[in-house]
Amino acid sequence: MEHIRSIEELVRWKSEGHEKKLGFVPTMGALHDGHLSLVRLSQSKCDRTLVSIYVNPTQFNNPEDLAKYPNTLESDLQALEMMGCDAVFLPDAQLLYPQGLKSRDFDFDGLDRNMEGAGRPGHFEGMATVVTRFFELIGPDLAIFGEKDFQQLSIIRNVVAKEHWPVEIVPAAISREADGLAMSSRNMRLLPQEREDAAQIYAVLSSAVSKLNPAETTPKEFERECAKALNKVPSIHVEYVSCCDALTLEQVDTFITTRSTRVFAAVQCGKVRLIDNLPLF
Ligand code: AMP
């Protein structure tokens, strides 16, 4: 596996296989099986796969979250090597942000109004800035984004369409631990009791989804019931539970079963902020 740290190395690696279909998987490292499923998806669709590992400061609105973001580079590289990943891109801030750590301005057509956009100001601008910079440098044919970060996936699709980036955006299903907890690099910061409690996020949401009768329950009632059940779990404090249209990400007032709709949740579990989402219909 090629380790790429400079633009020159990237240009050389690209030129060696310019006729081959290139898949790109952006990550912030601390890789788990969820990330690796994205790599496998890219490998199944492309001739070559490049994974980037870069903890992007401009998308962190909480300095403590950035400072505590886990770094497991050695084992990340081993895992990628074992999978037969072709290249890993390990840029530094100077390479990605030659003019300094600043986000571009974007208009996401309201996709950033709710949920993570409301709770984490500047997060999506920072994310979209670094992802479009990666697209510019790497020029992938295809890029994979996990549905774990559904709002991020929607925003990237929006930016790619509006700015005409010649890259196909491919979604990947959420990978979960055996007890249902969505895999996340942040899970390793949970204390043992918090880790056990965190499984309730999926348990509560999936049970509520399976019992939902959309003719008899309003989205507000559904959200309130889920939040109430989650707030009963000792380590958990709910930030939001929102039922949103899967295309516009607007909160829905009524359930319309012919419209693709998802339930989204963000909770504080001990000191760690966790998100998850599930399809309703
Ligand atoms: P991150 O390193 O957290 O920025 O994530 C890199 C990519 O992996 C993003 O596209 C995430 O949506 C995706 N990802 C993270 N966790 C999961 C998961 N549990 N299942 C599927 N994709 C995931």
Side-chain angles (χ1 to χ4, degrees):
M1 179 173 70
E2 198 86 22
H3 293 197
I4 298 170
R5 292 179 190 273
S6 67
I7 292 185
E8 294 70 32
E9 286 168 354
L10 181 63
V11 168
R12 183 169 41 73
W13 182 77
K14 274 179 34 182
S15 70
E16 284 162 9
H18 60 91
E19 76 292 353
K20 294 184 177 162
K21 187 168 178 182
L22 174 57
F24 171 48
V25 180
T27 82
M28 298 202 296
L31 301 184
H32 50 65
D33 284 348
H35 294 114
L36 302 186
S37 76
L38 272 56
V39 177
R40 267 190 294 274
L41 187 56
S42 170
Q43 288 175 321
S44 74
K45 290 177 174 286
C46 298
D47 305 311
R48 302 207 297 175
T49 292
L50 178 144
V51 172
S52 65
I53 298 181
Y54 178 69
V55 181
N56 176 34
T58 62
Q59 72 188 69
F60 283 80
N61 56 310
N62 176 347
E64 190 187 339
D65 193 23
L66 173 60
K68 295 222 170 121
Y69 203 83
N71 177 334
T72 59
L73 185 59
E74 198 102 316
S75 61
D76 292 353
L77 295 176
Q78 254 174 26
L80 293 173
E81 183 89 57
M82 292 238 309
M83 293 186 71
C85 179
D86 300 282
V88 61
F89 186 28
L90 302 160
D92 61 13
Q94 175 58 33
L95 191 161
L96 293 175
Y97 293 96
Q99 322 281 11
L101 283 173
K102 212 174 146 326
S103 296
R104 284 173 53 200
D105 289 329
F106 290 92
D107 177 359
F108 300 127
D109 295 326
L111 290 169
D112 60 333
R113 193 174 307 133
N114 299 319
M115 304 188 286
E116 298 305 284
R120 303 180 66 188
H123 166 66
F124 287 122
E125 283 79 4
M127 180 281 296
T129 299
V130 83
V131 169
T132 51
R133 175 74 173 137
F134 277 129
F135 288 167
E136 179 189 347
L137 291 169
I138 297 166
D141 297 291
L142 175 158
I144 315 245
F145 291 84
E147 289 185 337
K148 158 90 179 355
D149 302 281
F150 196 90
Q151 197 171 11
Q152 165 174 289
L153 167 65
S154 306
I155 285 174
I156 287 299
R157 283 188 192 285
N158 174 278
V159 171
V160 161
K162 283 212 306 229
E163 297 186 357
H164 308 290
W165 289 98
V167 54
E168 181 191 351
I169 301 302
V170 175
I174 301 178
S175 297
R176 298 183 179 280
E177 303 287 354
D179 62 7
L181 175 63
M183 289 180 183
S184 165
S185 306
R186 292 183 171 88
N187 293 351
M188 62 177 82
R189 287 177 47 210
L190 296 168
L191 301 174
Q193 184 59 53
E194 293 164 0
R195 170 62 190 82
E196 208 173 291
D197 288 354
Q200 290 303 309
I201 304 167
Y202 179 72
V204 165
L205 294 179
S206 59
S207 154
V209 169
S210 67
K211 288 187 201 135
L212 170 65
N213 180 344
E216 284 181 2
T217 312
T218 66
K220 273 273 153 298
E221 288 164 347
F222 180 83
E223 291 162 2
R224 213 177 301 128
E225 284 307 308
C226 290
K228 198 168 123 195
L230 284 170
N231 277 327
K232 281 192 186 146
V233 182
S235 317
I236 291 183
H237 177 75
V238 172
E239 195 179 300
Y240 62 77
V241 177
S242 292
C243 297
C244 296
D245 183 294
L247 286 178
T248 64
L249 301 187
E250 287 295 337
Q251 214 162 352
V252 296
D253 297 328
T254 47
F255 284 131
I256 302 172
T257 55
T258 49
R259 283 212 192 131
S260 179
T261 308
R262 295 180 87 94
V263 57
F264 296 84
V267 309
Q268 198 70 36
C269 186
K271 289 195 163 164
V272 184
R273 188 173 181 281
L274 300 173
I275 59 170
D276 202 348
N277 69 88
L278 275 85
L280 289 170
F281 8 86

